[in-house]
Amino acid sequence: MQHAAARYVSTRGSSPVADFAEALLRGMAPDGGLYMPATWPKLTPANWAAGLAYSDMALAAMQPFIGTALPEGALDRALHRLIAGFAPPEVTPLVQLEDGLWLLELFHGPTAAFKDLAMQLAAALSAEALQTSGERLTLVTATSGDTGAAAVAAFANQPRIRLVVLHPHERVSPVQRRQMTTIEADNVLNLAVRGDFDDCQRLVKALLADESLRTQGRFSSVNSINWARLAGQIPYYLSAVSQLAAVGETRAPVFVVPTGNFGDAFAGIAASRMGLPSRGFVAAVNANDALARAINEGVYARRAAVETASVSMDVQAPSNFERLVYEASGRDADLTRGVFADFARDGRVVLPDELLTALRREVSAVSVDEATTRAEIAHAHATWGQVVCPHTAVALSAARTIDRTAGPVVALATAHPAKFGKDVAPVVGFDPHPPEVIRALGDRAERFDVIGTDTSEALAAVRAFQT
């Protein structure tokens, strides 16, 4: 391979080194860990200069992760597909709210949520890899709402690919559910799980560990445990800095990221490892605060997820925390494996002091309750004329507490407010105007099956779907 960065190792240290195609199509490493690039490729300020097209920044940021593992031009073709699905020329426009405070809008794609940015790329790159290998692929993903919708939009009717989506029954917004379940595609199976997102994620991990499901071809995940998903999120951090430079702001920003599974936040940390200037990252979570408790108290402990307005963040066991532990610990696979083995066994682990100090250098975390979220939705509308979704409100609440004298603060706007109208409308006094991608849902019939939280039900449903 031409690029050392196109080689991948497991966070748990016991899997063979893989190339990008293997990491993409396998998803999780054989030892149960998550794939990470063996080294971080380096970018230069020319890669986020003012006026650059999103596609140019994305090509520079992502090609080193692919190396020679896919056919020549694969990333160019994937980016062409991505850009075609976004109306704004910037793809992810940066909007100034007030002096030093900015909103990075990531919701202008096919399902009106930030997950489109990486999912469209993952789908196109998977198709390239499968065309080369001649294999078939079954993908399984757990979703708290937006991931599943984006996956269905990206992978529906793709040859050589089947997609299984597990969402918590009656715990996603009606728009999110309909984006998943009204699709007319025989290669998509929607499973509604009588439980929470963490139950869905647990079932996905159990399915991935069942070797019998691989008899029909490759079996993988397109959750943010898949490195390709994370790589596809790195470019919008470059875009933010480029757009700041275009208005003469050259100081490094603080990024405030509303997060559930921590993939979007870790993508920012990856960008900083590659050289992108930042003054830090703030993970803004809702009442499901396992990540915040881990960072602020030093104890990573599982609790039952509670329902909030920011449903896509109702996560109490964020899978990408493992990548953060691995990177912050100096890539100590033994330590990482031990932390997550203890967590899997006991549902609780006390983080070593040295690790906790290192984690706090990477990211800070803030938990925002429901009352504050509603107040922030009201504030955004009254002060700036902005109607924001609950997830974005969580980020803005945290962002407004940060000192801006040293540089700008950029909050990530992760979904269109019309996806969460039942929570936004009572606060602002009207229903958010839906974009065309939501209006197009109409009254189409839904297709999904309801299952329990027992692994055997999920296995039976997937086996039937594969035949």
Side-chain angles (χ1 to χ4, degrees), residues 8 17 26 51 71 83 116 121 124 199 295 337 386 397 453 457:
Y8 292 84
V17 171
R26 188 171 185 99
I83 302 302
D116 292 322
L121 290 172
D199 289 315
I295 299 297
R337 184 171 56 250
Q386 290 277 340
S397 176
T453 58
E457 288 191 56

Side-chain angles (χ1 to χ4, degrees), residues 63-122:
Q63 187 60 53
F65 291 119
I66 297 173
T68 56
L70 296 180
E72 186 176 354
L75 182 56
D76 292 283
R77 291 187 289 274
L79 287 168
H80 179 77
R81 169 182 166 169
L82 172 74
I83 302 302
F86 283 74
E90 310 93 337
V91 180
T92 58
L94 188 67
V95 176
Q96 186 168 20
L97 301 178
E98 59 188 48
D99 189 32
L101 181 61
W102 300 78
L103 201 60
L104 185 65
E105 294 184 345
L106 306 176
F107 52 73
H108 295 285
T111 69
F114 81 104
K115 301 294 178 75
D116 292 322
L117 286 154
M119 199 70 75
Q120 290 287 318
L121 290 172

Side-chain angles (χ1 to χ4, degrees), residues 11-315:
T11 53
R12 302 193 185 184
S14 301
S15 291
V17 171
D19 68 3
F20 179 84
E22 181 68 14
L24 168 68
L25 296 179
R26 188 171 185 99
M28 183 178 287
D31 62 2
L34 305 184
Y35 282 116
M36 286 278 283
T39 60
W40 293 109
K42 296 302 180 184
L43 301 175
T44 71
N47 299 126
W48 54 81
L52 280 182
Y54 189 92
S55 56
D56 291 335
M57 289 181 279
L59 187 66
M62 294 185 63
Q63 187 60 53
F65 291 119
I66 297 173
T68 56
L70 296 180
E72 186 176 354
L75 182 56
D76 292 283
R77 291 187 289 274
L79 287 168
H80 179 77
R81 169 182 166 169
L82 172 74
I83 302 302
F86 283 74
E90 310 93 337
V91 180
T92 58
L94 188 67
V95 176
Q96 186 168 20
L97 301 178
E98 59 188 48
D99 189 32
L101 181 61
W102 300 78
L103 201 60
L104 185 65
E105 294 184 345
L106 306 176
F107 52 73
H108 295 285
T111 69
F114 81 104
K115 301 294 178 75
D116 292 322
L117 286 154
M119 199 70 75
Q120 290 287 318
L121 290 172
L125 295 175
S126 295
E128 295 270 0
L130 292 169
Q131 185 175 349
T132 299
S133 68
E135 297 172 293
R136 297 186 64 84
L137 171 67
T138 300
L139 289 169
V140 60
T141 186
T143 183
S144 48
D146 286 334
T147 294
V152 168
F155 287 96
N157 297 309
Q158 286 268 17
R160 299 185 178 275
I161 296 175
R162 299 186 186 97
L163 174 67
V164 182
V165 180
L166 289 80
H167 74 267
H169 187 41
E170 297 181 342
R171 296 182 75 162
V172 300
S173 82
V175 171
Q176 288 174 315
R177 187 192 71 245
R178 289 180 59 76
Q179 285 181 321
M180 291 184 278
T181 61
T182 61
I183 195 76
E184 295 182 4
D186 291 338
N187 72 323
V188 175
L189 172 65
N190 282 291
L191 299 176
V193 178
R194 296 189 191 93
D196 59 27
F197 171 77
D198 292 318
D199 289 315
C200 296
Q201 190 156 256
R202 175 180 53 79
L203 289 175
V204 164
K205 290 181 178 179
L207 293 169
L208 290 169
D210 193 304
E211 289 297 319
S212 69
L213 296 176
R214 301 182 192 277
T215 59
Q216 301 296 316
R218 284 185 175 266
F219 193 86
S220 185
S221 175
V222 74
N223 273 93
S224 58
I225 61 174
N226 192 308
W227 174 256
R229 280 277 314 283
L230 273 168
Q233 292 172 287
I234 292 171
Y236 55 70
Y237 287 96
L238 276 68
S239 176
V241 174
S242 172
Q243 291 179 72
L244 286 172
V247 296
E249 177 57 86
T250 58
R251 295 174 298 173
V254 172
F255 289 101
V256 184
V257 188
T259 193
N261 227 14
F262 199 68
D264 48 351
F266 192 81
I269 292 170
S272 70
R273 285 287 196 274
M274 298 167 73
L276 187 75
S278 77
R279 290 189 297 116
F281 296 87
V282 178
V285 302
N286 61 22
N288 296 284
D289 60 349
L291 179 69
R293 286 183 283 114
I295 299 297
N296 297 327
E297 301 171 17
V299 179
Y300 185 44
R302 182 186 295 115
R303 294 176 182 169
V306 299
E307 293 186 62
T308 72
S310 48
V311 293
S312 297
M313 296 155 60
D314 290 350
V315 180

